[in-house]
Amino acid sequence: MSGAADERDRIRIAMDRILTGRPERSNGALTIVALAIEAGVPRNALTQRHLDLKNEFYAKVKERGQPTDAETRLRKQVVRLKELRDKDKAELEQLRADVEGLVRAVNQLTLENRQLRELLSAPDPAVRVLPVQYIPPQPS
């Protein structure tokens, strides 16, 4: 038996084992990587030399009506990313609201500072400096 024919036979046998849930070498995932491991062939044997077997495998997986492991994993990742996006959106909205509040506070303080400076620069300022009591630092 030639190498290519033997390889094709091993791929078909591995395909049957994976599709019937009896993997011997791989994790049994419905992927080309698992099929290559199960058949004991390099992955590129399926992606370059035996495209018809790769397509046949995917067609059989699709007939089962179950999503592939890769599709399931990607769907979970999409859900997680959407949750993260929603969380980031809420945080961004909060930060924007905080910025508006801080801008208002800075404007108010700037106005009050300007008014105090005008009072101090008047010929007879009505502002008195209050004495400050020194409090020494407490030892740790």
Side-chain angles (χ1 to χ4, degrees), residues 12 15-16 19 30 53-66 68:
R12 286 193 184 281
M15 194 182 309
D16 289 336
L19 292 172
L30 301 175
L53 293 176
K54 178 188 87 159
N55 294 336
E56 179 183 334
F57 178 69
Y58 278 140
K60 287 182 177 183
V61 169
K62 193 173 184 178
E63 285 174 9
R64 295 176 67 162
Q66 297 174 341
T68 63

Side-chain angles (χ1 to χ4, degrees), residues 6-24:
D6 177 51
E7 196 172 66
R8 291 182 68 80
D9 288 341
R10 286 188 293 156
I11 292 169
R12 286 193 184 281
I13 292 167
M15 194 182 309
D16 289 336
R17 283 197 308 257
I18 287 178
L19 292 172
T20 57
R22 298 177 290 112
E24 294 175 1

Side-chain angles (χ1 to χ4, degrees), residues 13 16 23 25 46 48 54 63 84 88 93 109 119:
I13 292 167
D16 289 336
R25 297 179 185 167
L46 290 160
Q48 295 174 9
K54 178 188 87 159
E63 285 174 9
L84 284 173
D88 288 346
E93 287 174 4
L109 291 171
L119 284 175

Side-chain angles (χ1 to χ4, degrees), residues 128-139:
R128 288 186 292 150
V129 177
L130 299 175
V132 177
Q133 183 180 9
Y134 174 74
I135 301 174
Q138 298 293 322

Side-chain angles (χ1 to χ4, degrees), residues 33-78:
V33 174
L35 179 59
I37 292 169
E38 189 69 29
V41 299
R43 187 174 139 265
N44 71 345
L46 290 160
T47 59
Q48 295 174 9
R49 290 191 297 269
H50 307 295
L51 289 173
D52 60 321
L53 293 176
K54 178 188 87 159
N55 294 336
E56 179 183 334
F57 178 69
Y58 278 140
K60 287 182 177 183
V61 169
K62 193 173 184 178
E63 285 174 9
R64 295 176 67 162
Q66 297 174 341
T68 63
D69 293 342
E71 184 179 353
T72 302
R73 187 178 67 251
L74 288 173
R75 287 186 188 280
K76 286 180 184 177
Q77 187 174 7
V78 165

Side-chain angles (χ1 to χ4, degrees), residues 77-94:
Q77 187 174 7
V78 165
V79 168
R80 187 177 58 81
L81 290 173
K82 283 182 179 179
E83 289 170 355
L84 284 173
R85 186 182 67 192
D86 291 342
K87 181 181 172 189
D88 288 346
K89 183 179 176 184
E91 183 180 356
L92 184 59
E93 287 174 4
Q94 181 62 50

